Amino acid sequence: MKATALAHPNIALVKYWGKRDEARILPHQSSLSVTLAPMHVTTTVEFGAVEADVVELNGATAKGGEAARVLAALDLVRALAPKLGKAKVVSRGDFPAAAGLASSAAGFAALAVAARAAAGLPRDVRAESILARQGSGSACRSIQGGVCVWKKGTALDGSDSFAEQAFPDSHWPQLRLVVAMVSREEKEVKSRDGMRTTVETSPYYPAWARNAEAEIQPALAAIAARDLQAIGELSERNAWRMHATALAADPPLCYLKPATLAVIHALAAERRAGRPMYFTLDAGPNPVILTDEANELRAVELARACGATEVVRGQPGGDARLVDAHLF
Ligand code: DP6
């Protein structure tokens, strides 16, 4: 009744921004992401060996909302396999949480795989993706490697809202994603609250959701052709549109810092000089630079020159998987 899983984070090129069902975490639109290696989260789950549920994240006991989210995900597993008893969960990530790489995505993906295995349930990427989604929406895209699409689905119970792999990590090994950490501050408004405010108050929200849905097919075509310019331009406009709809919320949500814009403008200058580098930006100030192997070091230098205090380098990663080495 003990299992350990490893999962990579992911970075969305067509973002998820806004829920139609808050409790089940069902989105208004589909999204598409690249699973990022080598960074990862490892999680061990054991049922039946403790008197009370205990959750330890990165060396500290989880409390409040954080612990509640993990326990809610475990309860979904306990509902499938009764008499499992109380659980001990220990989870550790090897990349800075402040990187804004939604460590919760890798964390809930690893938790979903480990918890189901600890409960004796067979591996099932769809069931794992649905379980991970209910912890944190973007986590459903970290169950499989390469490029994954989270189809929004239409069922009220969320049974058709999960992510599926569109391309394995071997499809485009030269792709590079460089996280420019220009700020280590906790973001003022978490994604969960920011997207709720946006759905409720931004007059641009319906246009955002329609447009993001329409970008999935062109994004897949660009990735199929390994066309960096096409996917780069698409990623930039999708990120701008997500931030535009958030800026139009009431109160407005501005995640950009001066150094964020410095990176964005520097990338445009690189492109004018013939070097393919593009950005995407989650709900935080740290841009992620999309480029290729040949331009990766240049992207790292550019990030540092624009004020990044830390740079995290990623490339397409593999599936979430069970591993033998338990954390306790
Ligand atoms: C901007 O998945 O962290 O990173 O479902 O409320 O847990 P919850 O939100 P979360 O939101 C991620 C938003 C994003 C875009 C993306 O990853 O698609």
Side-chain angles (χ1 to χ4, degrees), residues 12 15-16 19 25 69 136-138 141 191-192 195 282-283:
K15 310 283 184 200
Y16 142 57
K19 298 176 181 64
I25 309 199
R69 279 167 76 178
S136 182
S138 53
R141 301 185 311 238
S191 297
R192 190 158 288 194
M195 62 176 90
D282 277 348

Side-chain angles (χ1 to χ4, degrees), residues 97-100 181-188 257 284-286:
M181 291 181 54
V182 298
S183 171
R184 295 187 133 270
E185 284 167 34
E186 275 275 310
K187 53 190 174 197
E188 283 160 37
K257 300 264 187 202
N286 299 325

Side-chain angles (χ1 to χ4, degrees), residues 109-278:
L111 180 74
V113 174
R116 282 182 51 93
L121 297 164
R123 284 227 53 189
D124 174 338
V125 288
R126 178 189 296 209
E128 288 160 359
S129 183
I130 288 175
L131 176 59
R133 188 202 77 220
Q134 291 170 94
S136 182
S138 53
C140 77
R141 301 185 311 238
S142 271
I143 297 295
Q144 288 179 285
V147 174
C148 292
V149 176
W150 175 11
K151 296 207 188 77
K152 69 182 175 107
T154 53
L156 289 177
D157 65 356
S159 54
D160 59 354
S161 188
F162 53 89
E164 277 182 317
Q165 185 179 67
F167 301 95
D169 53 325
S170 57
H171 171 71
W172 198 353
Q174 301 81 9
L175 187 66
R176 291 294 182 274
L177 298 116
V178 176
V179 188
M181 291 181 54
V182 298
S183 171
R184 295 187 133 270
E185 284 167 34
E186 275 275 310
K187 53 190 174 197
E188 283 160 37
V189 182
K190 291 193 185 315
S191 297
R192 190 158 288 194
D193 303 324
M195 62 176 90
R196 181 186 304 119
T197 306
T198 308
V199 173
E200 288 173 358
T201 68
S202 177
Y204 302 166
Y205 190 76
W208 151 262
R210 256 195 328 272
N211 177 259
E213 195 66 44
E215 291 284 40
I216 299 288
Q217 284 312 321
L220 288 170
I223 294 166
R226 299 185 192 86
D227 184 336
L228 185 55
Q229 181 179 349
I231 193 62
E233 289 176 359
L234 190 154
S235 301
E236 291 205 345
R237 68 175 178 259
N238 179 264
W240 278 128
R241 287 169 185 175
M242 185 193 101
H243 286 271
T245 185
L247 280 165
D250 186 15
L253 291 155
C254 180
Y255 290 105
L256 290 81
K257 300 264 187 202
T260 315
L261 286 170
V263 172
I264 289 171
H265 289 300
L267 293 174
E270 290 296 314
R271 292 199 294 274
R272 286 193 293 275
R275 287 182 282 275
M277 297 190 199
Y278 303 84

